[in-house]
Amino acid sequence: MSSPDVIDHEMEETQLIDLEGLHFPPDEGLPSGHTLPDVLRDARRFHAGDPSVVSSMSTDLLPAVMHTLRRPELIRTDYPLVLLPCGKVQPLVEFFIEIIAKIENSKVLSDNLVRVERQVREGLKTVADAAKVIGSAGSKVGDMLALNEKADHDFRTKGAELVQSIPKGTILVPCTSVAGPAVALHIIEAQTRGNHLRDSVIKMRDALKSMNSREPAVEASGIDSSKLQTVLGKTTSGSVPMDESRTKRVKATIKTIEAWLTNSDSPLYVVTSSFADDISVPHSATKVKAGDSLCNKAIETFDELAQRYAQLFGAMRTARLELANAYESPRHDHLLENFCRKCFSDAEFDLMPKVVAVGSVQDGLANMASLSTILRSARPVTLLLLGDDLATLDHERIELAYLAVAHRKCFATQVSIAHPSHLVDSIKSGIDSVRPTLHTIASEDTHPLGAWLEGNAAIEGRACPLLRYDPSQGLTWAERFDLVDNPQTEHDWPIWTGEIDNQKLELSFTFAHCAMLTTNLQQYFMQLPDGVTSSDLLPIEQWLHLSLDESATVLPYLWAADADGAIHKLVVARVVTDVCRERLDYWNTLQELAGIDNSYVEQAIQEEREILDTAFATERETLASKHATEIESLRTTASQVAMQQLAEVLLGGGGGFVNPLVSASAPTIAPVANGTIATPTEAGEEVATEESATTEPEDTGSGDLGEAWIDSPLCTTCNDCMDVNAQVFVYNEDKQAYIKDASAGTYEEMVRAAEACPARCIHPGGPLNPSEPNLDELKKRAADFI
Amino acid sequence: MFGLKQDWSLDVLPRYFTLDDYESSVPRWCAGCGDHGILTTVQRICRDKQLLPEKTVCVSGIGCSSRFPHYMSTYGFHGLHGRAFPVACGIKSRRPDLDVWVATGDGDCCSIGAGHWVHAVRYNMDMVAILFDNNVYALTKKQSSPTSQIGQSTNTHPKGAPLPPLNPSTTTLSITNCSFVAQTVDWNPVHMHETLKAAHEHKGFSFVRIFQRCPVFSEECFAEAQTDPDLVQLVEHDNGLQVSESGTRIYKNRRTHDPSDLVQAMAVSNQTDVLPIGLLYQNETMPIYNEYSSVGINSTPEDKINALNHQLDRFAI
Ligand code: SF4
Ligand code: SF4
């Protein structure tokens, strides 16, 4: 088999992939009555979209690199996500690792958590209470394993301990379209809990009130403070008696604050379009239904709140100035009278209830004007717009996140539920930025392979590249824009290298690979008979590099694997390759924005190179002509000398022949001294690799000898100590002894067991019962085993 | 791909085995016998690797150690004296999917079974061979074995064995196609665990000599080494066994040895003043005979008839 993607050249930098299980099918020749030109002719017509040539792709085909992922239920992804009440979001597997580390002697459970994890994953269809789901998955696994009595008891009691240690209110989120809003609202809601505005407002009011009641008392002391002030020459600040206008202002401020304190605002307002009406919101949130005008309703909700908070924040600023005796009427009156959201500081925006709008990308597009109003305003409203058409053939689609970036001042991302760590980071950064924020969330969840695989294929095939634009990161584009978490950002398409039947293969993952996963697009792929090779066939990633003219004569194909692991070539129809070109164009634009293969830089490099090349060429020419002149002059001199010497010889004179070229110019090259290669310094002392598995207990006061213990990893399972007292000494899960209950035996037995122990790993410590006979002698014997 | 981590597969069996699942009847070895610890270590490895009991076979010859299969709740074959290896090789040659463990003693392996031992090493079939070396025939109550020490008093040599002992490790190392030789002591379960684990992970015939205490008939052989750790030499290397410090910190006497160096492996194992423990030799490139002997095991009777007919047809007139 020879094919343009079989590597027989030096590999370019790619990532390795295990292609185990794949093979080239036996070459059974062309279908009877078909010649290679027939096959290629049909393929050409298919590629061009001739409806008379129908696709023959079998439905079990997947892109070859995805063969091992054929059974999504067996893939450990980051889902289900665990949403902890503290706001933390983590993959279930990490949550298990953290929680199991706190439960002692839980080997049977910890070894089987992978089964519990799988059971949870299979059963979880929507957001649910973690303790309940994990508890019931655990008991199902327990039933399935049918362990022996002791192991079953351990599994269930430790399982119950694990369930109990799950914080109340922890929820699990599956990889479905609910994941994006659920995660975002969870993080935002947790953040609002750190808002202690009400407490500071109450404190401020009380301080104002006490100031209000203190001032008359000062006047009652008999000191005329206005006179005193005149004497001290102070006019604008300092302790002055409350004049009427100030008293009035303070009273009004207290009134405004108290009015605000009667409010029952939620910390979070979730505005939903009809598309998102069913989403569940955190308990503390208020849902606002927006019908078809999501963005307008979001603005309205925010502005209403902002108006009320403007009164509060104005009053708070007045109060602060008053308490500091720094209120200057002419200066501050005007400012505070016109105090509105445009005057809010970031800290004040942060203290306001949060407004989050949830809808679909279509909601955003239908409300473009209001969407743009939000994005260019200073309203820190968060928009979560869900998109589900990942592998669409619509090559005129609008990239909403990309469009949002053009507003320059907002925070904008393209995230995907298939990449939860990028999603979580983006939500958190969005909150921190205190700006209007747009998260477009790729959330396809109707695909037969599941949302996770489909979403990742869309990221991998550049159908839906992740991006993040955060103006808070700095002033330059490089600081603000990033493509992190996209695979192999330096390449047009991710390239994977693996081996099939001992042949190294380079396999790309393009938009076409992503498209062939979508059932209604499979009609655009035609399977070629196995073994067909021709210079008219080219792997799609190479084909896409051809110019339109060049590509007209060649056909693009990709490798797909069937359920048995046999790989086949699929010709890709033009409707798909057109979108491939469009997606590549979009990706290349994003790359440029992120500083990868930037055309300006490349242009500059090219120009610099040309300048340098010209300079070198000129210098080379100068040197060459100088060299030629020197050679010519030496040649003339040499022939003159030769003639002269010849004449001398002929005329009977002495003297040998001297090579003027050598004597005149041969330089001497000094021998290079043998250098000594410096020995790299040692990397310091070896660091101890592992601590002893058993920790020696501290002295708890049972004599100088401490508490009895066994260095269990050294136990050789000989039973000797159990023969002495089976209540004191028992085996752990590794069948190595430990002291279960030292008080169940005598000190004499403890010492006797230590003496009997062939591994000398029993340390009898001191006696527990001070009235046991012969203690002095026993302690002496025990001292050998400290 | 797709950001998946190494442990991405959830393809696990709906079964789980505890240590108890590998335990059969209560061992009838004497109290303090080193065999108890070896048994538990093997059972722990089976549990940690979740080996299917129905796909694991323990094979033995005759001797105290050869009671091993009785105590493992797996398939077992208690063979004839010296014949553990031919049985094990027979199993592995046609059932390469099974995990094969061989328990043999210094008498069983190095005396009556020596011929089979040589060829089992050369065949290099993928199995673990554990030599329980207690320097004596213990089951038959104290006769000199090939590894008995000079001067060791036994019923066959009451005044002391006269010949220098055979060294099973140097012998194994000298056999063509040898691929794994290690030594350990039964009284250090941490070291023994790592040794047997490495042996099980090795592809090929893993020969592990365990210095095994027999407190009844050869107590004097290892008593000193047990109480004086300086008589044990820890053999270490980056490519050797990686044993935690908690199990080896008592050993001050250490030697660095590259397990790919066959000549040095001989020198290390030939020492008589210390008990060298660690990986002496490993080479995973040697041919494995069961890969050849098992070719065609999945062919159906029909396949076989067809193949026969094909051959016979060549002689048709
Ligand atoms: S006597 Fe020592 S080696 Fe034997 S079982 Fe007890 S602790 Fe383990
Ligand atoms: S006689 Fe020796 S080797 Fe045999 S079981 Fe007893 S202690 Fe172990």
Side-chain angles (χ1 to χ4, degrees):
Chain A
M1 217 261 359
S2 162
S3 158
D5 39 14
V6 172
I7 304 171
D8 53 4
H9 55 87
E10 209 167 294
M11 283 188 311
E12 71 172 288
E13 208 178 308
T14 58
Q15 297 205 14
L16 298 178
I17 191 165
D18 186 1
L19 298 177
E20 215 189 304
L22 293 184
H23 61 271
F24 293 106
D27 182 359
E28 284 172 354
L30 297 174
S32 66
H34 280 67
T35 60
L36 182 61
D38 293 341
V39 172
L40 291 175
R41 191 192 56 236
D42 282 354
R44 249 188 209 104
R45 283 167 52 196
F46 174 79
H47 171 69
D50 182 341
S52 66
V53 187
V54 183
S55 159
S56 54
M57 172 184 154
S58 69
T59 50
D60 65 344
L61 290 176
L62 282 184
V65 284
M66 286 179 69
H67 178 63
T68 47
L69 309 178
R70 197 167 275 280
R71 292 181 61 195
E73 75 278 12
L74 299 185
I75 303 172
R76 169 180 276 156
T77 67
D78 285 341
Y79 285 90
L81 291 173
V82 183
L83 273 43
L84 289 140
C86 61
K88 194 170 170 183
V89 178
Q90 64 183 156
L92 180 63
V93 60
E94 276 174 25
F95 175 71
F96 273 164
I97 290 170
E98 273 179 25
I99 210 163
I100 198 76
K102 295 179 199 143
I103 302 175
E104 285 179 351
N105 296 324
S106 54
K107 179 149 183 69
V108 183
L109 177 63
S110 67
D111 281 359
N112 282 295
L113 276 182
V114 59
R115 295 181 175 89
V116 179
E117 185 191 337
R118 187 172 153 184
Q119 186 68 41
V120 169
R121 189 186 302 278
E122 278 174 13
L124 191 70
K125 302 289 175 237
T126 183
V127 176
D129 179 73
K132 237 188 206 164
V133 174
I134 294 171
S136 100
S139 84
K140 270 188 198 149
V141 171
D143 296 347
M144 172 188 82
L145 289 174
L147 298 165
N148 62 46
E149 198 180 329
K150 185 181 169 300
D152 186 66
H153 175 262
D154 283 356
F155 178 79
R156 290 182 197 272
T157 48
K158 296 294 168 184
E161 232 177 275
L162 181 143
V163 170
Q164 268 163 20
S165 55
I166 298 174
K168 204 163 171 273
T170 303
I171 53 173
L172 294 179
V173 178
C175 187
T176 63
S177 56
V178 298
V183 168
L185 293 174
H186 177 77
I187 296 173
I188 295 171
E189 195 263 348
Q191 200 250 4
T192 62
R193 273 181 270 144
N195 183 346
H196 303 297
L197 176 63
R198 180 166 282 270
D199 297 344
S200 7
V201 169
I202 290 171
K203 264 191 210 148
M204 192 72 84
R205 179 206 53 193
D206 294 348
L208 272 186
K209 275 188 170 172
S210 81
M211 183 180 104
N212 210 14
S213 58
R214 207 172 50 234
E215 291 292 351
V218 174
E219 283 173 17
S221 67
I223 300 169
D224 184 343
S225 54
S226 63
K227 279 188 184 149
L228 184 60
Q229 194 181 25
T230 320
V231 172
L232 292 172
K234 303 257 180 190
T235 53
T236 55
S237 60
S239 178
V240 291
M242 296 251 288
D243 59 35
E244 201 181 325
S245 66
R246 187 176 180 195
T247 311
K248 215 166 130 196
R249 196 166 56 236
V250 170
K251 277 187 181 155
T253 308
I254 294 173
K255 203 172 157 200
T256 310
I257 289 178
E258 285 193 326
W260 182 85
L261 281 171
T262 59
N263 84 67
S264 53
D265 288 341
S266 299
L268 173 63
Y269 289 83
V270 183
V271 184
T272 57
S273 71
S274 332
F275 169 85
D277 273 350
D278 294 342
I279 63 156
S280 53
V281 300
H283 295 307
S284 65
T286 299
K287 210 180 209 185
V288 182
K289 293 197 175 182
D292 294 337
S293 48
L294 182 73
C295 299
N296 284 333
K297 194 73 188 171
I299 295 175
E300 195 183 298
T301 309
F302 183 85
D303 285 355
E304 248 173 47
L305 284 165
Q307 211 173 355
R308 277 193 288 121
Y309 277 75
Q311 287 171 7
L312 173 71
F313 294 149
M316 294 281 278
R317 287 196 189 198
T318 308
R320 235 172 271 125
L321 288 167
E322 289 292 5
L323 288 169
N325 269 332
Y327 195 98
E328 293 170 22
S329 219
R331 201 170 124 208
H332 293 125
D333 282 352
H334 173 74
L335 267 177
L336 291 167
E337 262 162 31
N338 299 308
F339 197 75
C340 68
R341 71 166 173 83
K342 290 184 179 162
C343 313
F344 286 10
S345 66
D346 276 3
E348 282 163 337
F349 272 128
D350 219 22
L351 291 169
M352 272 188 67
K354 301 282 171 270
V355 176
V356 179
V358 188
S360 67
V361 166
Q362 293 313 321
D363 288 321
L365 294 173
N367 285 263
M368 275 300 265
S370 331
L371 176 70
S372 184
T373 305
I374 295 178
L375 296 178
R376 64 176 189 270
S377 71
R379 296 177 181 90
V381 169
T382 301
L383 295 157
L384 307 175
L385 300 184
L386 279 58
D388 60 358
D389 213 1
L390 304 185
T392 171
L393 292 187
D394 173 10
H395 46 21
E396 292 175 355
R397 68 180 175 187
I398 295 179
E399 296 293 343
L400 213 46
Y402 181 67
L403 197 67
V405 173
H407 290 78
R408 294 192 332 277
K409 300 253 166 55
C410 66
F411 180 99
T413 66
Q414 171 65 60
V415 290
S416 167
I417 56 165
H419 205 312
S421 63
H422 183 262
L423 171 75
V424 169
D425 285 352
S426 301
I427 302 287
K428 285 183 182 162
S429 310
I431 301 172
D432 293 345
S433 75
V434 196
R435 289 165 184 278
T437 297
L438 170 71
H439 298 292
T440 43
I441 308 177
S443 321
E444 156 88 65
D445 70 355
T446 52
H447 197 275
L449 279 175
W452 187 85
L453 268 183
E454 164 70 358
N456 271 295
I459 297 170
E460 191 95 4
R462 316 293 191 211
C464 175
L466 306 174
L467 70 84
R468 187 158 48 205
Y469 174 76
D470 181 1
S472 333
Q473 292 301 314
L475 296 175
T476 65
W477 197 253
E479 290 165 296
R480 293 176 168 197
F481 189 85
D482 73 58
L483 292 179
V484 287
D485 291 330
N486 283 289
Q488 303 184 34
T489 42
E490 67 287 9
H491 291 145
D492 281 351
W493 312 100
I495 308 169
W496 298 96
T497 308
E499 255 184 38
I500 300 179
D501 293 345
N502 294 325
Q503 293 189 64
K504 275 213 164 92
L505 228 70
E506 234 174 42
L507 299 167
S508 289
F509 198 95
T510 66
F511 171 79
H513 294 81
C514 169
M516 72 165 284
L517 297 173
T518 307
T519 317
N520 62 359
L521 301 185
Q522 286 173 351
Q523 55 180 309
Y524 300 117
F525 296 85
M526 185 175 101
Q527 190 172 336
L528 289 173
D530 294 328
V532 165
T533 53
S534 160
S535 56
D536 286 357
L537 293 167
L538 209 55
I540 183 160
E541 63 278 8
Q542 294 178 29
W543 184 88
L544 286 166
H545 276 136
L546 302 178
S547 68
L548 282 177
D549 284 349
E550 286 168 330
S551 66
T553 54
V554 202
L555 285 167
Y557 74 86
L558 56 82
W559 284 109
D562 64 25
D564 294 331
I567 63 167
H568 312 278
K569 282 178 186 162
L570 299 187
V571 166
V572 187
R574 191 182 293 156
V575 280
V576 176
T577 57
D578 282 351
V579 186
C580 286
R581 286 188 199 282
E582 190 278 329
R583 288 290 84 189
L584 185 57
D585 181 65
Y586 176 51
W587 172 247
N588 289 157
T589 310
L590 295 181
Q591 277 182 312
E592 276 213 47
L593 293 177
I596 303 162
D597 293 339
N598 186 292
S599 59
Y600 290 109
V601 175
E602 290 197 346
Q603 238 172 40
I605 292 173
Q606 185 58 28
E607 281 166 14
E608 269 312 302
R609 192 171 285 143
E610 277 166 18
I611 294 169
L612 285 175
D613 282 352
T614 323
F616 282 143
T618 322
E619 198 176 334
R620 212 170 26 239
E621 266 170 36
T622 321
L623 286 173
S625 73
K626 202 172 150 197
H627 183 68
T629 323
E630 274 176 15
I631 293 272
E632 190 49 41
S633 102
L634 280 173
R635 199 173 283 141
T636 321
T637 322
S639 61
Q640 282 168 358
V641 172
M643 291 307 292
Q644 195 181 332
Q645 284 177 344
L646 184 62
E648 277 175 19
V649 170
L650 291 174
L651 295 170
F657 180 81
V658 179
N659 185 343
L661 289 172
V662 174
S663 64
S665 60
T668 43
I669 300 169
V672 177
N674 262 351
T676 317
I677 297 165
T679 318
T681 39
E682 291 292 333
E685 288 283 289
E686 194 187 319
V687 181
T689 49
E690 199 182 316
E691 280 302 308
S692 167
T694 319
T695 322
E696 299 184 23
E698 286 167 21
D699 187 350
T700 53
S702 51
D704 294 346
L705 298 164
E707 231 179 68
W709 64 289
I710 295 183
D711 200 350
S712 304
L714 298 181
C715 164
T716 63
T717 323
C718 74
N719 290 335
D720 281 6
C721 54
M722 276 139 228
D723 290 345
V724 174
N725 187 328
Q727 262 77 50
V728 177
F729 304 99
V730 292
Y731 284 131
N732 64 15
E733 288 164 321
D734 285 334
K735 213 174 170 197
Q736 290 180 306
Y738 73 100
I739 294 176
K740 189 173 183 213
D741 180 8
S743 64
T746 62
Y747 188 52
E748 188 274 334
E749 285 174 327
M750 190 67 81
V751 175
R752 190 147 46 90
E755 287 170 339
C757 172
R760 292 178 70 85
C761 61
I762 300 179
H763 304 278
L768 292 179
N769 175 8
S771 52
E772 191 177 322
N774 292 334
L775 278 189
D776 284 346
E777 188 231 319
L778 289 171
K779 276 196 208 169
K780 232 186 245 167
R781 282 162 56 191
D784 283 351
F785 304 98
I786 292 173
Chain B
M1 189 177 198
F2 294 176
L4 289 171
K5 305 195 177 73
Q6 282 285 325
D7 59 345
W8 65 268
S9 176
L10 290 177
D11 196 3
V12 283
L13 287 178
R15 298 166 72 188
Y16 176 75
F17 307 104
T18 63
L19 215 49
D20 298 350
D21 293 317
Y22 299 98
E23 287 173 10
S24 178
S25 52
V26 178
R28 284 166 51 195
W29 289 309
C30 309
C33 177
D35 296 0
H36 292 285
I38 304 175
L39 174 69
T40 313
T41 304
V42 172
Q43 287 165 338
R44 274 169 56 205
I45 292 169
C46 292
R47 186 230 16 219
D48 294 345
K49 305 239 168 204
Q50 288 292 299
L51 302 186
L52 298 176
E54 71 272 22
K55 288 230 165 193
T56 306
V57 196
C58 294
V59 184
S60 67
I62 296 294
C64 287
S65 60
S66 292
R67 294 199 55 78
F68 196 86
H70 294 268
Y71 307 138
M72 290 286 293
S73 186
T74 61
Y75 278 110
F77 201 116
H78 192 162
L80 299 178
H81 203 197
R83 269 65 181 181
F85 289 126
V87 173
C89 290
I91 293 168
K92 194 72 191 180
S93 67
R94 294 304 281 171
R95 286 297 304 272
D97 55 318
L98 302 182
D99 246 291
V100 179
W101 299 76
V102 179
T104 181
D106 41 308
D108 190 55
C109 170
C110 308
S111 183
I112 189 170
H116 299 303
W117 167 32
V118 172
H119 293 286
V121 175
R122 181 172 161 262
Y123 290 162
N124 191 30
M125 295 207 192
D126 190 12
M127 63 178 74
V128 182
I130 309 171
L131 177 72
F132 294 59
D133 188 358
N134 59 0
N135 296 182
V136 76
Y137 281 95
L139 187 74
T140 49
K141 302 197 187 305
K142 208 178 184 182
Q143 292 81 27
S144 299
S145 86
T147 61
S148 294
Q149 308 295 313
I150 292 184
Q152 185 181 329
S153 170
T154 63
N155 290 333
T156 39
H157 298 98
K159 293 193 175 162
L163 298 178
L166 178 144
N167 184 326
S169 292
T170 48
T171 309
T172 306
L173 286 165
S174 69
I175 299 169
T176 314
N177 213 31
C178 161
S179 72
F180 184 104
V181 179
Q183 298 194 144
T184 185
V185 290
D186 79 65
W187 56 93
N188 186 332
V190 182
H191 191 274
M192 180 162 58
H193 183 265
E194 288 312 313
T195 311
L196 288 173
K197 190 163 90 141
H200 181 253
E201 283 163 5
H202 173 75
K203 274 227 157 297
F205 185 84
S206 312
F207 183 82
V208 180
R209 178 192 187 188
I210 302 183
F211 299 110
Q212 177 236 313
R213 292 160 304 153
C214 167
V216 181
F217 296 121
S218 61
E219 191 181 14
E220 70 278 22
C221 291
F222 304 118
E224 232 187 313
Q226 205 195 329
T227 47
D228 179 4
D230 286 347
L231 294 176
V232 174
Q233 183 185 65
L234 186 70
V235 178
E236 309 172 293
H237 194 269
D238 284 350
N239 298 331
L241 303 176
Q242 306 307 316
V243 189
S244 71
E245 263 305 296
S246 65
T248 54
R249 69 164 69 93
I250 53 163
Y251 301 126
K252 304 285 176 269
N253 181 358
R254 297 182 179 211
R255 176 170 180 161
T256 304
H257 161 66
D258 180 351
S260 66
D261 187 337
L262 181 60
V263 176
Q264 272 306 307
M266 285 278 193
V268 174
S269 71
N270 222 2
Q271 300 172 94
T272 48
D273 50 343
V274 286
L275 299 179
I277 60 167
L279 180 57
L280 303 180
Y281 182 64
Q282 184 169 24
N283 181 349
E284 291 215 282
T285 64
M286 308 309 272
I288 298 172
Y289 193 44
N290 56 270
E291 287 176 3
Y292 301 89
S293 62
S294 59
V295 169
I297 48 172
N298 293 325
S299 45
T300 60
E302 202 179 52
D303 294 335
K304 290 177 189 164
I305 289 169
N306 287 341
L308 262 180
N309 283 338
H310 181 70
Q311 289 303 320
L312 293 173
D313 283 351
R314 293 168 60 204
F315 301 101
I317 305 166

